[in-house]
Amino acid sequence: VQSIASADMDLNQLEAFLTAQTKKQGGITSDQAAVIAKFWKNHRMKIHESLINQSRWDNVLKNMNWRVDLKSQSRHIDQINTPVAIVEMELGKIGQESEFLCLEFDEAKVSQMLKKLSEIEESMNSL
């Protein structure tokens, strides 16, 4: 079952795998293969979700909201009426209480962040 779950086999892959296991010396019987196939068909999604949750190292991003505001107060007069992006992220593990992170970005920081996200996208696409 561990091999089936690790590969997240679809029904065709499962059938081929179980057939090979029944033909292998010291493998499983046809009845055992039928039970494993029925179990996998009924519980595949739950097993897959459980494996994903176990493989996460830390919190996940559950939700994100953003808006753009104009500063109406500041220590420095030249910063009044400048646009700022407010980003609120909901972080946490599924089934646990969330933590909220609120960030404020000026125009230069938004540009810098977009550049970094673009670099991340390029790295992921190259893989």
Side-chain angles (χ1 to χ4, degrees):
V1 176
Q2 186 176 5
S3 299
I4 297 167
S6 313
D8 190 29
M9 293 183 185
D10 63 24
L11 297 179
N12 292 332
Q13 292 170 321
L14 175 66
E15 186 179 331
F17 177 76
L18 291 176
T19 300
Q21 294 301 311
T22 57
K23 292 180 180 180
K24 189 164 131 186
Q25 186 161 354
I28 60 176
T29 66
S30 307
D31 291 339
Q32 289 171 325
V35 169
I36 292 170
K38 184 176 181 179
F39 175 80
W40 183 247
K41 287 175 191 173
N42 292 333
H43 300 286
R44 177 182 179 193
M45 292 308 298
K46 290 178 187 174
I47 293 169
H48 184 69
E49 287 175 21
S50 176
L51 287 173
I52 288 172
N53 288 335
Q54 289 173 22
S55 67
R56 288 193 178 119
W57 293 340
D58 214 344
N59 294 335
V60 296
L61 178 63
K62 291 182 173 180
N63 193 16
M64 185 174 90
N65 296 307
W66 64 272
R67 69 178 191 269
V68 176
D69 288 345
L70 289 176
K71 278 193 177 186
S72 60
Q73 292 182 352
S74 180
R75 291 184 197 169
H76 306 288
I77 194 81
D78 61 333
Q79 290 181 343
I80 293 178
N81 291 329
T82 57
V84 291
I86 309 292
V87 178
E88 182 183 77
M89 293 185 263
E90 182 182 358
L91 306 169
K93 292 190 181 229
I94 296 170
Q96 294 182 0
E97 193 171 323
S98 297
E99 295 177 19
F100 292 87
L101 176 64
C102 190
L103 305 168
E104 184 177 302
F105 297 96
D106 62 11
E107 191 175 352
K109 290 292 182 189
V110 168
S111 295
Q112 195 175 37
M113 185 167 167
L114 289 173
K115 182 181 176 201
K116 290 292 183 187
L117 288 172
S118 204
E119 290 172 10
I120 291 169
E121 182 182 29
E122 287 175 18
S123 293
M124 290 177 75
N125 287 338
S126 69
L127 296 174

